[in-house]
Amino acid sequence: MAGSSSELIYRGNSHDAQPASDGGGVMAAGHSAPKPPHKPLGPLRYLLAEQRLVFAFVGMAIASLVFLLAAPSGHGGGHEVMDGAAGVARLAAAGLAARQYSGVAARMAYEQRLPAVAGARVPLGLKRKGLRVVVTGGAGFVGSHLVDRLLARGDSVIVVDNLFTGRKENVLHHAGNPNFEMIRHDVVEPILLEVDQIYHLACPASPVHYKHNPVKTIKTNVVGTLNMLGLAKRVGARFLLTSTSEVYGDPLQHPQVETYWGNVNPIGVRSCYDEGKRTAETLTMDYHRGANLEVRIARIFNTYGPRMCIDDGRVVSNFVAQALRKEPLTVYGDGKQTRSFQYVSDLVEGLMKLMEGEHVGPFNLGNPGEFTMLELAKVVQDTIDPNARIEFRPNTADDPHKRKPDISRAKELLGWEPKIPLHKGLPLMVQDFRDRIFGDRKPHSVAGDN
């Protein structure tokens, strides 16, 4: 320390006078060092300050009054007071539980978009939630009928079609529907959409169309299917491939079951379609096994109905158009080849059951009723013109001799079988063709119960 004096450090309150220093560490003359303040009975002083004790007594008095008022009148003394206190506690607990329950109920009502007041509209939670569905080839013959059913069910539908064989008129009646959208797009090019389900129908299906550009046909089957499978994988959508009975080729087994591997010419004029669909099935199953993608495969047999392309080379449309125009019915070969014909609404029902079911497939979707070409010509004559002539021409290459589906698997696992026989479905198709051929077409045709 400097000299004989000591330095004092002041730790008093800020409102007390500060000591002055002479610069050498000695206190200024006339001033003495202050003593630290004395605070006796700290807790008691805190309780008495600012009337805290008064408020404490008032709170206890109010609590006692509540207990006494809650207790029932009569004798019983302390027990009744205790019962009253217990009652208050129970009421408080019940109130807290009710508040918690009402909060949970309100949250659930908000999440489920349920009305919070009585007498409101039908709760949305009771209605089926609409799905977002893509239908490739949705402006075509089968695709447009599928779109009708999906929209009627309440789904939002996006049609993707390049209009090579599809027609805008097939879906024009949905133009004002907010749940309907159409994109003109070729599935050979990738597309990104947010959807729940993909019905992949895009591909020319008639010999006239798929032979017109065979390289494009096989690209549609392979690259187009690959693009749609990639989309399904990215967005987690369920994927349904519409394959064909042509994967069986010229079958050596009759009727055809799904386990039959087929008899196909890999280098023939029809192989762009036959082998293209077989490759599409391969890709679909590889995505299912390798990427755990939800897939479904339908093998479609001959289908007929309104909105078929006129003169597309398929036997039913050929016969109907020719009979309406008073032209000879052209039968290729000896006319003893057999086919099975299902009405379009039966097929659509089968596709939807397959998509909503739990089985991958493949499933044969067709009508097991078998007709020779001559028998079919007779049905067309009876329906349109009994005097229509039949003209025989040389058969086309690789034309299957017999075609009949075994639908036992679809019956057992999907609960599906066709309901409309040929003699009931054909007149509906004839009316649609008559309207279009002779120019008095109505706004849109309805396919029976579709």
Side-chain angles (χ1 to χ4, degrees), residues 239-284:
F239 176 87
L240 186 148
L241 171 69
T242 55
S243 186
T244 173
S245 60
E246 295 293 334
V247 299
Y248 300 124
D250 189 4
L252 304 177
Q253 181 185 100
H254 192 76
Q256 294 81 54
V257 297
E258 290 87 349
T259 54
Y260 177 54
W261 290 354
N263 178 39
V264 179
N265 178 2
I267 58 172
V269 294
R270 301 168 67 106
S271 59
C272 61
Y273 185 66
D274 302 0
E275 297 287 18
K277 286 294 188 181
R278 288 163 72 95
T279 305
E281 288 193 19
T282 301
L283 287 169
T284 301

Side-chain angles (χ1 to χ4, degrees), residues 387-408:
N387 298 319
R389 296 186 299 107
I390 295 178
E391 182 178 287
F392 291 90
R393 293 185 182 179
N395 202 0
T396 57
D398 298 327
D399 186 40
H401 290 84
K402 289 183 178 293
R403 188 65 58 75
K404 176 183 177 179
D406 184 319
I407 61 170
S408 303

Side-chain angles (χ1 to χ4, degrees), residues 1 5 33 108 119 134 186 210 271 321 360 406 415 418 442:
M1 301 292 290
S5 63
M108 291 176 64
V134 163
D186 194 327
Y210 65 65
S271 59
V360 172
D406 184 319
K442 298 176 178 59

Side-chain angles (χ1 to χ4, degrees), residues 299-302 340-342 347 364-368 405 407 416 418:
R299 289 175 179 167
I300 300 174
F301 284 68
N302 291 66
S340 301
F341 304 102
Q342 68 178 334
L347 172 59
N364 289 336
L365 297 181
N367 194 321
I407 61 170
W416 174 87

Side-chain angles (χ1 to χ4, degrees), residues 108-311:
M108 291 176 64
Y110 175 78
E111 292 174 351
Q112 299 178 7
R113 290 181 170 84
L114 297 177
V117 295
R121 292 179 297 177
V122 177
L124 295 176
L126 300 180
K127 297 180 182 178
R128 178 188 174 278
K129 179 184 177 183
L131 299 174
R132 297 166 298 172
V133 184
V134 163
V135 181
T136 67
F141 161 47
V142 174
S144 63
H145 289 288
L146 176 60
V147 169
D148 290 349
R149 284 288 304 275
L150 293 172
L151 288 171
R153 191 176 69 174
D155 295 334
S156 296
V157 179
I158 302 174
V159 168
V160 176
D161 202 307
N162 67 353
L163 301 180
F164 174 56
T165 59
R167 300 183 308 121
K168 290 180 181 179
E169 291 81 2
N170 289 341
V171 293
L172 192 60
H173 53 288
H174 297 305
N177 191 331
N179 292 330
F180 172 77
E181 181 180 354
M182 180 171 175
I183 302 174
R184 185 165 186 171
H185 179 83
D186 194 327
V187 294
V188 170
E189 302 298 331
I191 188 170
L192 184 59
L193 302 165
E194 292 292 334
V195 294
D196 302 304
Q197 294 179 346
I198 299 173
Y199 286 86
H200 182 40
L201 283 72
C203 184
S206 72
V208 169
H209 292 140
Y210 65 65
K211 290 179 182 179
H212 174 71
N213 189 343
V215 173
K216 178 65 174 180
T217 298
I218 199 164
K219 282 180 66 177
T220 301
N221 278 318
V222 177
V223 180
T225 301
L226 195 61
N227 285 335
M228 290 301 108
L229 285 166
L231 172 62
K233 179 183 175 183
R234 284 193 295 271
V235 301
R238 181 176 290 184
F239 176 87
L240 186 148
L241 171 69
T242 55
S243 186
T244 173
S245 60
E246 295 293 334
V247 299
Y248 300 124
D250 189 4
L252 304 177
Q253 181 185 100
H254 192 76
Q256 294 81 54
V257 297
E258 290 87 349
T259 54
Y260 177 54
W261 290 354
N263 178 39
V264 179
N265 178 2
I267 58 172
V269 294
R270 301 168 67 106
S271 59
C272 61
Y273 185 66
D274 302 0
E275 297 287 18
K277 286 294 188 181
R278 288 163 72 95
T279 305
E281 288 193 19
T282 301
L283 287 169
T284 301
M285 290 306 300
D286 285 341
Y287 264 81
H288 174 61
R289 289 186 290 258
N292 200 29
L293 185 66
E294 281 194 274
V295 302
R296 306 289 185 265
I297 299 176
R299 289 175 179 167
I300 300 174
F301 284 68
N302 291 66
T303 306
Y304 69 98
R307 303 179 194 161
M308 286 188 77
C309 288
I310 300 174
D311 302 321

